[in-house]
Amino acid sequence: MLHNDVGLGGFMTVYYRGPAGTVTESHFVTHAPDGSAYDLNDLRNIMRVRRRGPRFAAVLAAAVAVILAGVAVGWLMSDMGSLLVVLVAVVAAVFVLRLASPVYTLRADHRDQPVELYSTRDKVDFERVCRNLERALEDLRPA
């Protein structure tokens, strides 16, 4: 959704404003502590990177162990108790696996220096940022 904000030189088109920062007609401004602002004209080699966290294998093993332990304990208990234990084990495993969700990162070269523009586990917001950055770049460059 496009917005028009009043900047120092008049109106400025805002393509995105959210947790990642702000994408305007001329800049990508992060919400990082340093509040880095990147001129869109100086961005090159923009890349989307999707990676699993370094602990993914350990988290996956822990989730499998939780389910197996739940099944083993459930097998030793009564019928109703076993169902409850297995259900709790599956819910715990899903929670553990959620901790290993992928990280989405937007990287680029800014004035020949590699920078990380945005990183998140939220795929929907990541795609929204990328789509609006693409729109801003398309509108910036002559046809």
Side-chain angles (χ1 to χ4, degrees), residues 39-87:
D39 187 325
L40 297 185
N41 284 311
D42 295 332
L43 291 179
R44 302 283 182 269
N45 304 320
I46 299 170
M47 298 173 286
R48 298 178 187 200
V49 180
R50 179 183 180 265
R51 62 183 160 72
R52 294 270 183 201
R55 304 174 307 201
F56 178 72
V59 170
L60 183 60
V64 169
V66 166
I67 290 175
L68 291 176
V71 169
V73 169
W75 187 33
L76 297 172
M77 297 179 68
S78 67
D79 290 333
M80 187 55 95
S82 64
L83 180 62
L84 181 61
V85 169
V86 170
L87 182 62

Side-chain angles (χ1 to χ4, degrees), residues 77-116:
M77 297 179 68
S78 67
D79 290 333
M80 187 55 95
S82 64
L83 180 62
L84 181 61
V85 169
V86 170
L87 182 62
V88 167
V90 168
V91 169
V94 168
F95 177 74
V96 168
L97 282 174
R98 181 75 179 128
L99 295 175
S101 61
V103 176
Y104 302 94
T105 304
L106 185 61
R107 295 184 179 164
D109 291 336
H110 181 257
R111 297 182 181 155
D112 297 324
Q113 296 295 318
V115 294
E116 183 175 294

